[in-house]
Amino acid sequence: MKGRFAPSPTGYIHLGNVWIVLLSYLSTRQQQGTYVVRIEDIDLQRSKRDYGEALLDDLEWLGFDWDEGPRVGGPQLSYWQSERLHLYDEVLQSLGDRALTYPCFCNRTRVQSIASAPHRGEIVHHYDGHCRHLTISEVEKRMEEKVPSYRVKVETGTFYFDDIYQGEQCYTLQGGIDDFVLRRGDGMYAYNLAVVIDDIQMGITEVVRGQDLLDTTPQQLYLYNLLGAVSPRYSHAPLLIDSDGHRLSKRQQSITIRELRALQWEPNRILGELAMLAGLIQPSSNPRISLDELLERSINTELLKQKSIIVDGVF
Ligand SMILES: [Zn+2]
């Protein structure tokens, strides 16, 4: 098997990241799998190379190692998404050749005005298939005025998958309404496209990531089908939040590994606090444990069925 950690370098690595790397690393190593690190710096505006390097420094400081990725190499030409854009180009082109995509000229205001439904506490903006049936001459005319985004033509269908932590999931995608963007008008590739292409090419068979990405899974499964590839197994881990319900990664003062290092925290203590949340060690006032010791223990997946875990007052 093959597992991976695929962070976005938009800031210093924080506890939410370490939580995911810990769970994915232990799962892969305990199955004698190959562990891959990939830097998802596809958002060229928000990502910084320096943050990517700092992130790798912090992973090494914490004691993690990987078999493929930046600094160690591997069969892929690059493990930075910003250096893999030609691969996304090729796949988008091939989907276009199969008439599975179409250009969308709608602006943000129009898309946001489409009736949207609150879904699991968040407002989800659906599409209405507006540009699905434009004629060739209409497309040519609009191309002169605007660079379109590209959407995939979704065929209505239901997707089931068994999430290792969250249990059985069922989603229905509807043609038109759920036609999702693969490349934005500004040229940026969508997360859904890049992540699927990378995971296929890197041979990833198990994806451990945050619960916030659970709802993107059906789109990704849809792309796996279109590309004739087998999807990985998914484990969506609870988000770490403070007692006000803010995600540690999103709140203003997210706790970064840099800050904890400055406060003289050692890797064993950071890992110990997180390991406690996954039931790897018994609650204690001063937990410390090394990665090697953690490899001998099992994750309590019952604890990871939750949507979120409050970690206030720990760090
Ligand atoms: Zn449109």
Side-chain angles (χ1 to χ4, degrees), residues 102-106 110 127-128 130-131 151:
Y102 61 91
C104 169
F105 298 90
C106 298
R110 184 174 183 280
Y127 187 55
D128 58 1
H130 185 259
C131 299
R151 290 182 184 268

Side-chain angles (χ1 to χ4, degrees), residues 1 27-34:
M1 65 78 68
S27 177
T28 304
R29 290 288 182 238
Q30 286 174 344
Q31 297 175 74
Q32 280 78 46
T34 303

Side-chain angles (χ1 to χ4, degrees), residues 85-96:
L85 302 181
H86 59 286
L87 297 168
Y88 314 143
D89 267 331
E90 278 169 28
V91 173
L92 186 66
Q93 186 67 48
S94 74
L95 292 174

Side-chain angles (χ1 to χ4, degrees), residues 231-244:
S231 61
R233 291 200 70 191
Y234 291 98
S235 307
H236 287 88
L239 301 177
L240 304 187
I241 58 171
D242 63 22
S243 55
D244 294 330

